[in-house]
Amino acid sequence: MPVPQLLEVIAKVNKIHKDIQNSIQEKLATHSVLDEELGNPAYGPATKKHLVQVSSILGLLQEYNLLQDDTCFVELGAGKGKVSYWLAKTLELLRHSSSSVLLVERASLRHKHDNKLDKTDVSVVRIRADIADLLLPEIDTIAKAKHVVGVTKHLCGDATDLALTCLMNCQSSGKDVTGMVMTFCCLHRCHWNTYVGKHFFE
């Protein structure tokens, strides 16, 4: 990219940041399903940090009325499945027997929480797939659900853009994507070809 064009992009980024920075609010929610776990004195700061983040995700799902029955909760970039585990526990407490949890992860990870997930009363399915190639409406768990809710925790770089595109494509297919709660990381690893906010730079 020529230097003048690069400087123009930088100026646009700075302007966008200035325009929206006061409208972005930090919000930390909690959910009671993790209260006992968070009080475990055996856990160190690192473990508790992740539990606080999961509690906040579940709290936001609750606050925005997204914890409804007959919903498939899709954790994109599910990793070891810790968010899905606590989500399944929450759905159990709510007695949402018609809801399900779908874990999507492209890597094959050890020490997964799947054995714990198998012990819940909620239908849980894990698929190994790249979000870029994922067609949610073609998955049986999604097809059976009335609603779809997306969830991510520390989805890296452009995987967040791919997740947004994936969920919007699901919505366009006719499924009711009622909402999503997403947390981000590694924003420096985003790529222009997958970026969903190109119109901000036009």
Side-chain angles (χ1 to χ4, degrees):
M1 180 182 292
V3 172
Q5 189 177 353
L6 177 60
L7 292 174
E8 185 179 341
V9 170
I10 292 171
K12 286 183 179 180
V13 171
N14 288 334
K15 182 181 184 304
I16 292 168
H17 178 262
K18 184 178 179 181
D19 290 344
I20 68 171
Q21 62 180 337
N22 293 328
S23 64
I24 299 174
Q25 297 179 348
E26 182 176 339
K27 192 166 194 176
L28 182 63
T30 59
H31 196 286
S32 58
V33 73
L34 277 115
D35 285 352
E36 184 177 344
E37 196 77 2
L38 283 166
N40 190 333
Y43 292 149
T47 300
K48 285 193 174 181
K49 179 185 76 171
H50 288 290
L51 290 172
V52 166
Q53 291 169 349
V54 174
S55 181
S56 185
I57 289 170
L58 295 177
L60 290 170
L61 286 170
Q62 178 176 264
E63 182 175 336
Y64 293 116
N65 202 31
L66 295 174
L67 292 173
Q68 299 297 316
D69 203 6
D70 205 359
T71 299
C72 181
F73 295 87
V74 185
E75 186 185 359
L76 296 152
K80 298 175 183 178
K82 292 182 180 179
V83 174
S84 289
Y85 169 73
W86 287 108
L87 179 53
K89 295 291 285 183
T90 302
L91 296 173
E92 266 189 328
L93 289 172
L94 293 170
R95 298 185 179 179
H96 286 350
S97 57
S98 296
S99 286
S100 57
V101 179
L102 174 66
L103 296 83
V104 179
E105 174 58 53
R106 70 177 181 178
S108 179
L109 299 169
R110 298 176 63 189
H111 309 298
K112 297 188 288 284
H113 267 56
D114 293 32
N115 57 336
K116 292 184 178 180
L117 281 164
D118 288 341
K119 296 175 183 176
T120 65
D121 295 332
V122 177
S123 172
V124 178
V125 176
R126 176 187 282 270
I127 61 171
R128 187 175 177 186
D130 193 315
I131 300 171
D133 305 318
L134 185 62
L135 298 173
L136 287 175
E138 296 187 9
I139 299 170
D140 194 45
T141 311
I142 296 286
K144 291 178 179 177
K146 184 177 180 181
H147 312 290
V148 177
V149 171
V151 180
T152 73
K153 178 178 179 288
H154 292 173
L155 200 55
C156 189
D158 58 359
T160 295
D161 294 298
L162 293 171
L164 286 167
T165 300
C166 179
L167 289 164
M168 293 314 297
N169 288 341
C170 184
Q171 173 84 16
S172 298
S173 76
K175 294 300 296 186
D176 178 29
V177 179
T178 52
M180 59 192 80
V181 173
M182 311 181 81
T183 63
F184 322 116
C185 76
C186 302
L187 299 180
H188 62 283
R189 296 182 65 181
C190 292
H191 296 92
W192 182 251
N193 61 329
T194 54
Y195 183 55
V196 296
K198 293 186 178 76
H199 59 282
F200 284 110
F201 294 93
E202 294 174 352

